[in-house]
Amino acid sequence: MRTRWRLAAVQMAVTFGDKLANLNRVRQSIREAAEHGAQLVIFPECSLTGYAFENIAAALEVAEPIPGPSTVELSLLCREHELYVIYGLLERDGDRFYNSCVLLGPEGVVAAYRKIHLPYIGADRFATPGDRPFAVHELPGLRLGMHICYDGSFPESARVMALLGADLIVLPTNWPHTSMCTAQCVPICRAMENHVYFVAVNRVGEEGGFRFIGHSRIVSPTGDTLALADHERETILYAEIEPKLARQKHRVLIPGKHEINRIADRRPEFYSVITQKGLPQHDATAHR
């Protein structure tokens, strides 16, 4: 059982619609990360396929099933280097497609996640909303949860995975130039408020009129940044994590004077409005 994990976050450019070129880049990055001792290598959203599709037919043309051609090939690489990989792709299921990410290991496909929250941009305009609940997956000594890009803007997403026991929450993303505040704030906030490790892996380059800003980040359970790409260039971030630290939710800042537990101190009986659809109805006379 591993007590420490070495992570690699691959901030990369993606060639739109060219799965072979992107697969070659992913393979190259996995080998490089393996040489640096990485045990889990994480890639951006839609790193296999690209994202800025203008119609459903074009997106379906590059989408593939899970398991599928890329999962078979990359699973062999995972077995060769004895590591795990997370990457994003458009997943085809009949005449529908999902914006998905997949977790691979030496044994093959470990898990896949379908993006639940879909903004009106790029391929998400045509994708089917994710139909599977958030989940936590057991690796040797590590409990891992996955979500994608816009999901990170909904605190409930990470909170559910934290309550399910996640030590590490991964966010493959495609943040464009309008998302700098998100890139700077979301990873730190989600890590701190759930006391988990958090990895946001963004892409760089341009596609379909969008410029992607990089700024990938690996964050500790206390909200401290362990590794940051504060630029728009290709790079690989590395950090070592200790899952046991994420499981110690009770923080003693000053013994007997300042102690907090952001999980145990919750008051769920006051949160019911969160699960209601739409905006709450307010009494128009309440503020007169």
Side-chain angles (χ1 to χ4, degrees), residues 154-205:
F154 297 82
E156 299 86 350
S157 305
R159 177 51 56 91
V160 167
M161 288 183 276
L163 292 174
L164 291 172
D167 307 315
L168 167 66
I169 296 177
V170 173
L171 185 76
T173 185
N174 277 186
W175 284 326
H177 65 279
T178 53
S179 299
M180 184 60 75
C181 181
T182 302
Q184 293 174 336
C185 298
V186 164
I188 294 172
C189 289
R190 298 295 169 263
M192 183 187 68
E193 67 198 8
N194 293 293
H195 197 78
V196 295
Y197 289 98
F198 195 100
V199 181
V201 188
N202 195 27
R203 61 180 287 192
V204 296

Short mmCIF file of all heavy atoms in Angstrom, two decimals, residues 154-205:
data_model
loop_
_atom_site.label_atom_id
_atom_site.label_comp_id
_atom_site.label_asym_id
_atom_site.label_seq_id
_atom_site.Cartn_x
_atom_site.Cartn_y
_atom_site.Cartn_z
N PHE A 154 -19.24 24.45 -9.27
CA PHE A 154 -20.34 24.06 -8.40
C PHE A 154 -19.74 23.39 -7.17
O PHE A 154 -19.30 22.23 -7.23
CB PHE A 154 -21.30 23.13 -9.13
CG PHE A 154 -21.97 23.79 -10.31
CD1 PHE A 154 -21.32 23.89 -11.53
CD2 PHE A 154 -23.22 24.37 -10.17
CE1 PHE A 154 -21.91 24.53 -12.61
CE2 PHE A 154 -23.83 25.01 -11.24
CZ PHE A 154 -23.17 25.10 -12.47
N PRO A 155 -19.69 24.07 -6.02
CA PRO A 155 -19.04 23.52 -4.82
C PRO A 155 -19.60 22.17 -4.41
O PRO A 155 -18.89 21.36 -3.82
CB PRO A 155 -19.33 24.58 -3.75
CG PRO A 155 -19.63 25.82 -4.49
CD PRO A 155 -20.25 25.41 -5.79
N GLU A 156 -20.86 21.92 -4.75
CA GLU A 156 -21.48 20.65 -4.38
C GLU A 156 -20.75 19.46 -4.99
O GLU A 156 -20.72 18.37 -4.42
CB GLU A 156 -22.96 20.63 -4.81
CG GLU A 156 -23.82 21.70 -4.17
CD GLU A 156 -23.80 23.03 -4.90
OE1 GLU A 156 -22.97 23.19 -5.83
OE2 GLU A 156 -24.61 23.90 -4.55
N SER A 157 -20.16 19.65 -6.17
CA SER A 157 -19.49 18.54 -6.85
C SER A 157 -18.34 18.01 -6.01
O SER A 157 -18.25 16.81 -5.73
CB SER A 157 -18.96 19.01 -8.21
OG SER A 157 -20.00 19.57 -8.99
N ALA A 158 -17.44 18.89 -5.61
CA ALA A 158 -16.30 18.47 -4.81
C ALA A 158 -16.74 18.03 -3.42
O ALA A 158 -16.18 17.08 -2.85
CB ALA A 158 -15.28 19.60 -4.70
N ARG A 159 -17.75 18.69 -2.86
CA ARG A 159 -18.21 18.32 -1.52
C ARG A 159 -18.74 16.89 -1.48
O ARG A 159 -18.48 16.13 -0.55
CB ARG A 159 -19.26 19.32 -1.03
CG ARG A 159 -19.88 19.03 0.35
CD ARG A 159 -18.86 18.77 1.45
NE ARG A 159 -17.90 19.81 1.63
CZ ARG A 159 -18.04 20.85 2.47
NH1 ARG A 159 -19.16 21.00 3.16
NH2 ARG A 159 -17.07 21.74 2.60
N VAL A 160 -19.49 16.50 -2.52
CA VAL A 160 -20.00 15.14 -2.58
C VAL A 160 -18.85 14.14 -2.59
O VAL A 160 -18.86 13.14 -1.85
CB VAL A 160 -20.90 14.94 -3.83
CG1 VAL A 160 -21.16 13.46 -4.07
CG2 VAL A 160 -22.22 15.67 -3.65
N MET A 161 -17.83 14.41 -3.40
CA MET A 161 -16.71 13.47 -3.46
C MET A 161 -15.92 13.46 -2.16
O MET A 161 -15.44 12.40 -1.72
CB MET A 161 -15.82 13.82 -4.65
CG MET A 161 -16.46 13.47 -5.99
SD MET A 161 -15.40 13.78 -7.42
CE MET A 161 -15.70 15.52 -7.69
N ALA A 162 -15.81 14.61 -1.50
CA ALA A 162 -15.15 14.64 -0.19
C ALA A 162 -15.93 13.81 0.82
O ALA A 162 -15.34 13.05 1.61
CB ALA A 162 -15.01 16.08 0.28
N LEU A 163 -17.24 13.92 0.81
CA LEU A 163 -18.07 13.14 1.73
C LEU A 163 -18.00 11.65 1.44
O LEU A 163 -18.18 10.82 2.33
CB LEU A 163 -19.52 13.63 1.69
CG LEU A 163 -19.76 15.03 2.24
CD1 LEU A 163 -21.20 15.45 2.01
CD2 LEU A 163 -19.41 15.10 3.72
N LEU A 164 -17.71 11.31 0.18
CA LEU A 164 -17.54 9.90 -0.20
C LEU A 164 -16.15 9.38 0.14
O LEU A 164 -15.86 8.21 -0.09
CB LEU A 164 -17.82 9.72 -1.69
CG LEU A 164 -19.27 9.91 -2.14
CD1 LEU A 164 -19.37 9.90 -3.66
CD2 LEU A 164 -20.17 8.84 -1.54
N GLY A 165 -15.29 10.27 0.66
CA GLY A 165 -13.99 9.82 1.14
C GLY A 165 -12.80 10.13 0.26
O GLY A 165 -11.71 9.59 0.46
N ALA A 166 -12.97 11.04 -0.73
CA ALA A 166 -11.86 11.36 -1.62
C ALA A 166 -10.69 11.98 -0.87
O ALA A 166 -10.87 12.85 -0.02
CB ALA A 166 -12.32 12.30 -2.73
N ASP A 167 -9.49 11.54 -1.19
CA ASP A 167 -8.25 12.19 -0.74
C ASP A 167 -7.80 13.22 -1.76
O ASP A 167 -7.23 14.25 -1.42
CB ASP A 167 -7.11 11.17 -0.60
CG ASP A 167 -7.47 9.98 0.27
OD1 ASP A 167 -8.05 10.18 1.35
OD2 ASP A 167 -7.15 8.84 -0.14
N LEU A 168 -8.06 12.91 -3.02
CA LEU A 168 -7.63 13.73 -4.16
C LEU A 168 -8.79 13.91 -5.11
O LEU A 168 -9.46 12.94 -5.48
CB LEU A 168 -6.47 13.03 -4.89
CG LEU A 168 -6.08 13.57 -6.26
CD1 LEU A 168 -5.50 14.98 -6.16
CD2 LEU A 168 -5.07 12.64 -6.95
N ILE A 169 -9.03 15.17 -5.52
CA ILE A 169 -10.05 15.47 -6.51
C ILE A 169 -9.36 16.08 -7.72
O ILE A 169 -8.58 17.02 -7.60
CB ILE A 169 -11.14 16.41 -5.96
CG1 ILE A 169 -11.89 15.71 -4.82
CG2 ILE A 169 -12.08 16.84 -7.05
CD1 ILE A 169 -12.94 16.57 -4.15
N VAL A 170 -9.65 15.52 -8.89
CA VAL A 170 -8.97 15.91 -10.14
C VAL A 170 -9.95 16.65 -11.03
O VAL A 170 -11.11 16.24 -11.19
CB VAL A 170 -8.43 14.65 -10.84
CG1 VAL A 170 -7.88 15.00 -12.20
CG2 VAL A 170 -7.34 14.00 -9.98
N LEU A 171 -9.48 17.75 -11.65
CA LEU A 171 -10.30 18.56 -12.54
C LEU A 171 -9.57 18.79 -13.86
O LEU A 171 -8.85 19.79 -14.02
CB LEU A 171 -10.64 19.90 -11.88
CG LEU A 171 -11.59 20.81 -12.65
CD1 LEU A 171 -13.04 20.30 -12.53
CD2 LEU A 171 -11.52 22.25 -12.14
N PRO A 172 -9.72 17.89 -14.85
CA PRO A 172 -9.24 18.22 -16.20
C PRO A 172 -10.10 19.35 -16.75
O PRO A 172 -11.33 19.34 -16.62
CB PRO A 172 -9.47 16.92 -16.98
CG PRO A 172 -9.66 15.86 -15.92
CD PRO A 172 -10.29 16.55 -14.77
N THR A 173 -9.47 20.36 -17.36
CA THR A 173 -10.24 21.53 -17.75
C THR A 173 -9.74 22.14 -19.04
O THR A 173 -8.62 21.86 -19.49
CB THR A 173 -10.23 22.58 -16.60
OG1 THR A 173 -11.08 23.66 -16.92
CG2 THR A 173 -8.83 23.07 -16.31
N ASN A 174 -10.58 22.99 -19.64
CA ASN A 174 -10.23 23.81 -20.80
C ASN A 174 -10.59 25.26 -20.46
O ASN A 174 -11.59 25.79 -20.96
CB ASN A 174 -11.00 23.39 -22.06
CG ASN A 174 -10.39 22.21 -22.79
OD1 ASN A 174 -10.85 21.84 -23.87
ND2 ASN A 174 -9.37 21.60 -22.23
N TRP A 175 -9.84 25.91 -19.60
CA TRP A 175 -10.15 27.29 -19.22
C TRP A 175 -9.66 28.26 -20.29
O TRP A 175 -8.46 28.35 -20.55
CB TRP A 175 -9.49 27.64 -17.90
CG TRP A 175 -10.17 27.05 -16.69
CD1 TRP A 175 -11.50 26.84 -16.51
CD2 TRP A 175 -9.53 26.61 -15.48
NE1 TRP A 175 -11.74 26.30 -15.28
CE2 TRP A 175 -10.55 26.15 -14.62
CE3 TRP A 175 -8.20 26.58 -15.06
CZ2 TRP A 175 -10.28 25.65 -13.36
CZ3 TRP A 175 -7.93 26.08 -13.80
CH2 TRP A 175 -8.96 25.62 -12.95
N PRO A 176 -10.57 29.04 -20.91
CA PRO A 176 -10.16 30.06 -21.88
C PRO A 176 -9.75 31.35 -21.16
O PRO A 176 -9.75 31.42 -19.94
CB PRO A 176 -11.42 30.26 -22.71
CG PRO A 176 -12.54 30.00 -21.74
CD PRO A 176 -12.03 28.93 -20.80
N HIS A 177 -9.43 32.37 -21.94
CA HIS A 177 -8.89 33.61 -21.39
C HIS A 177 -9.87 34.33 -20.47
O HIS A 177 -9.47 35.17 -19.68
CB HIS A 177 -8.44 34.53 -22.52
CG HIS A 177 -9.57 35.03 -23.37
ND1 HIS A 177 -10.14 34.28 -24.38
CD2 HIS A 177 -10.25 36.21 -23.36
CE1 HIS A 177 -11.10 34.96 -24.96
NE2 HIS A 177 -11.20 36.12 -24.36
N THR A 178 -11.16 34.01 -20.56
CA THR A 178 -12.15 34.64 -19.70
C THR A 178 -12.25 33.98 -18.32
O THR A 178 -13.06 34.41 -17.50
CB THR A 178 -13.53 34.59 -20.37
OG1 THR A 178 -13.82 33.24 -20.74
CG2 THR A 178 -13.57 35.47 -21.61
N SER A 179 -11.44 32.97 -18.07
CA SER A 179 -11.59 32.18 -16.84
C SER A 179 -10.43 32.33 -15.87
O SER A 179 -10.20 31.46 -15.04
CB SER A 179 -11.74 30.70 -17.22
OG SER A 179 -12.88 30.49 -18.01
N MET A 180 -9.71 33.45 -15.94
CA MET A 180 -8.55 33.61 -15.06
C MET A 180 -8.95 33.59 -13.59
O MET A 180 -8.25 32.98 -12.75
CB MET A 180 -7.82 34.91 -15.38
CG MET A 180 -6.54 35.10 -14.58
SD MET A 180 -5.31 33.79 -14.85
CE MET A 180 -4.71 34.25 -16.47
N CYS A 181 -10.03 34.23 -13.22
CA CYS A 181 -10.47 34.22 -11.83
C CYS A 181 -10.76 32.80 -11.37
O CYS A 181 -10.39 32.40 -10.26
CB CYS A 181 -11.69 35.10 -11.65
SG CYS A 181 -12.29 35.19 -9.93
N THR A 182 -11.41 32.01 -12.22
CA THR A 182 -11.69 30.62 -11.90
C THR A 182 -10.41 29.85 -11.67
O THR A 182 -10.27 29.10 -10.69
CB THR A 182 -12.50 29.97 -13.03
OG1 THR A 182 -13.71 30.69 -13.23
CG2 THR A 182 -12.82 28.52 -12.71
N ALA A 183 -9.44 30.02 -12.56
CA ALA A 183 -8.17 29.30 -12.44
C ALA A 183 -7.43 29.67 -11.16
O ALA A 183 -6.77 28.82 -10.54
CB ALA A 183 -7.29 29.60 -13.65
N GLN A 184 -7.53 30.92 -10.76
CA GLN A 184 -6.81 31.38 -9.57
C GLN A 184 -7.51 30.99 -8.27
O GLN A 184 -6.84 30.79 -7.25
CB GLN A 184 -6.64 32.90 -9.64
CG GLN A 184 -5.70 33.35 -10.75
CD GLN A 184 -5.66 34.86 -10.90
OE1 GLN A 184 -6.60 35.56 -10.52
NE2 GLN A 184 -4.58 35.37 -11.46
N CYS A 185 -8.83 30.89 -8.29
CA CYS A 185 -9.58 30.73 -7.04
C CYS A 185 -10.11 29.32 -6.80
O CYS A 185 -10.03 28.82 -5.67
CB CYS A 185 -10.75 31.72 -7.03
SG CYS A 185 -10.27 33.45 -7.08
N VAL A 186 -10.69 28.70 -7.83
CA VAL A 186 -11.42 27.45 -7.62
C VAL A 186 -10.55 26.33 -7.03
O VAL A 186 -10.94 25.70 -6.05
CB VAL A 186 -12.12 27.00 -8.91
CG1 VAL A 186 -12.53 25.53 -8.85
CG2 VAL A 186 -13.35 27.87 -9.16
N PRO A 187 -9.37 26.03 -7.58
CA PRO A 187 -8.60 24.91 -7.01
C PRO A 187 -8.26 25.11 -5.54
O PRO A 187 -8.36 24.17 -4.74
CB PRO A 187 -7.33 24.89 -7.88
CG PRO A 187 -7.73 25.53 -9.16
CD PRO A 187 -8.70 26.60 -8.78
N ILE A 188 -7.89 26.33 -5.17
CA ILE A 188 -7.54 26.61 -3.78
C ILE A 188 -8.76 26.49 -2.88
O ILE A 188 -8.71 25.87 -1.80
CB ILE A 188 -6.90 28.00 -3.66
CG1 ILE A 188 -5.55 28.03 -4.39
CG2 ILE A 188 -6.73 28.42 -2.20
CD1 ILE A 188 -4.93 29.41 -4.50
N CYS A 189 -9.87 27.08 -3.30
CA CYS A 189 -11.09 27.04 -2.47
C CYS A 189 -11.59 25.62 -2.29
O CYS A 189 -11.93 25.21 -1.17
CB CYS A 189 -12.18 27.90 -3.11
SG CYS A 189 -11.87 29.67 -3.02
N ARG A 190 -11.65 24.83 -3.37
CA ARG A 190 -12.19 23.48 -3.26
C ARG A 190 -11.29 22.60 -2.40
O ARG A 190 -11.77 21.74 -1.66
CB ARG A 190 -12.35 22.86 -4.65
CG ARG A 190 -13.31 23.59 -5.55
CD ARG A 190 -14.75 23.57 -5.03
NE ARG A 190 -15.55 24.50 -5.80
CZ ARG A 190 -15.83 25.75 -5.43
NH1 ARG A 190 -15.39 26.20 -4.26
NH2 ARG A 190 -16.55 26.55 -6.18
N ALA A 191 -9.98 22.79 -2.49
CA ALA A 191 -9.07 22.01 -1.65
C ALA A 191 -9.26 22.36 -0.19
O ALA A 191 -9.42 21.48 0.67
CB ALA A 191 -7.62 22.28 -2.07
N MET A 192 -9.27 23.65 0.13
CA MET A 192 -9.34 24.09 1.52
C MET A 192 -10.68 23.77 2.15
O MET A 192 -10.74 23.26 3.28
CB MET A 192 -9.09 25.60 1.60
CG MET A 192 -9.08 26.15 3.02
SD MET A 192 -9.00 27.96 3.06
CE MET A 192 -10.62 28.38 2.39
N GLU A 193 -11.79 24.03 1.45
CA GLU A 193 -13.10 23.87 2.07
C GLU A 193 -13.47 22.40 2.28
O GLU A 193 -14.33 22.10 3.11
CB GLU A 193 -14.17 24.58 1.24
CG GLU A 193 -14.44 23.99 -0.13
CD GLU A 193 -15.17 24.95 -1.05
OE1 GLU A 193 -15.35 26.13 -0.66
OE2 GLU A 193 -15.55 24.53 -2.16
N ASN A 194 -12.79 21.49 1.56
CA ASN A 194 -13.05 20.06 1.72
C ASN A 194 -11.88 19.32 2.37
O ASN A 194 -11.98 18.12 2.62
CB ASN A 194 -13.35 19.43 0.36
CG ASN A 194 -14.65 19.94 -0.22
OD1 ASN A 194 -15.72 19.66 0.32
ND2 ASN A 194 -14.56 20.70 -1.29
N HIS A 195 -10.78 20.02 2.61
CA HIS A 195 -9.56 19.45 3.16
C HIS A 195 -9.15 18.21 2.34
O HIS A 195 -9.01 17.10 2.86
CB HIS A 195 -9.72 19.09 4.63
CG HIS A 195 -8.41 18.89 5.33
ND1 HIS A 195 -7.61 19.94 5.74
CD2 HIS A 195 -7.73 17.77 5.67
CE1 HIS A 195 -6.53 19.46 6.31
NE2 HIS A 195 -6.56 18.15 6.26
N VAL A 196 -8.95 18.44 1.04
CA VAL A 196 -8.50 17.39 0.12
C VAL A 196 -7.40 17.96 -0.76
O VAL A 196 -7.25 19.18 -0.90
CB VAL A 196 -9.65 16.87 -0.77
CG1 VAL A 196 -10.73 16.18 0.04
CG2 VAL A 196 -10.24 18.01 -1.62
N TYR A 197 -6.63 17.10 -1.38
CA TYR A 197 -5.74 17.52 -2.45
C TYR A 197 -6.60 17.78 -3.69
O TYR A 197 -7.60 17.09 -3.94
CB TYR A 197 -4.72 16.44 -2.77
CG TYR A 197 -3.66 16.26 -1.71
CD1 TYR A 197 -3.77 15.24 -0.76
CD2 TYR A 197 -2.55 17.10 -1.66
CE1 TYR A 197 -2.80 15.07 0.22
CE2 TYR A 197 -1.58 16.94 -0.68
CZ TYR A 197 -1.71 15.92 0.26
OH TYR A 197 -0.75 15.75 1.22
N PHE A 198 -6.20 18.80 -4.46
CA PHE A 198 -6.97 19.17 -5.65
C PHE A 198 -5.99 19.47 -6.78
O PHE A 198 -5.02 20.21 -6.59
CB PHE A 198 -7.82 20.41 -5.37
CG PHE A 198 -8.90 20.68 -6.38
CD1 PHE A 198 -10.21 20.32 -6.11
CD2 PHE A 198 -8.62 21.30 -7.59
CE1 PHE A 198 -11.22 20.57 -7.03
CE2 PHE A 198 -9.61 21.55 -8.51
CZ PHE A 198 -10.92 21.18 -8.23
N VAL A 199 -6.25 18.87 -7.96
CA VAL A 199 -5.41 19.10 -9.14
C VAL A 199 -6.27 19.60 -10.28
O VAL A 199 -7.20 18.91 -10.71
CB VAL A 199 -4.68 17.81 -9.56
CG1 VAL A 199 -3.79 18.09 -10.78
CG2 VAL A 199 -3.83 17.26 -8.42
N ALA A 200 -5.98 20.81 -10.77
CA ALA A 200 -6.64 21.36 -11.95
C ALA A 200 -5.62 21.37 -13.08
O ALA A 200 -4.54 21.96 -12.95
CB ALA A 200 -7.14 22.76 -11.68
N VAL A 201 -5.93 20.69 -14.19
CA VAL A 201 -5.00 20.57 -15.32
C VAL A 201 -5.63 21.22 -16.55
O VAL A 201 -6.60 20.69 -17.11
CB VAL A 201 -4.66 19.09 -15.60
CG1 VAL A 201 -3.55 19.01 -16.64
CG2 VAL A 201 -4.24 18.38 -14.32
N ASN A 202 -5.09 22.34 -16.95
CA ASN A 202 -5.63 23.09 -18.07
C ASN A 202 -4.75 22.91 -19.31
O ASN A 202 -3.61 22.44 -19.22
CB ASN A 202 -5.72 24.58 -17.71
CG ASN A 202 -6.60 25.36 -18.69
OD1 ASN A 202 -7.50 24.81 -19.31
ND2 ASN A 202 -6.32 26.65 -18.82
N ARG A 203 -5.28 23.31 -20.45
CA ARG A 203 -4.51 23.24 -21.69
C ARG A 203 -4.02 24.62 -22.08
O ARG A 203 -4.37 25.63 -21.45
CB ARG A 203 -5.36 22.65 -22.81
CG ARG A 203 -6.60 23.45 -23.13
CD ARG A 203 -7.41 22.85 -24.25
NE ARG A 203 -6.76 23.04 -25.54
CZ ARG A 203 -7.36 22.82 -26.71
NH1 ARG A 203 -8.60 22.38 -26.74
NH2 ARG A 203 -6.73 23.02 -27.84
N VAL A 204 -3.21 24.67 -23.12
CA VAL A 204 -2.71 25.93 -23.66
C VAL A 204 -2.94 25.94 -25.17
O VAL A 204 -3.41 24.95 -25.75
CB VAL A 204 -1.20 26.12 -23.35
CG1 VAL A 204 -0.98 26.22 -21.85
CG2 VAL A 204 -0.37 24.97 -23.93
N GLY A 205 -2.61 27.06 -25.80
CA GLY A 205 -2.78 27.16 -27.24
C GLY A 205 -4.12 27.77 -27.62
O GLY A 205 -4.87 28.26 -26.77
#
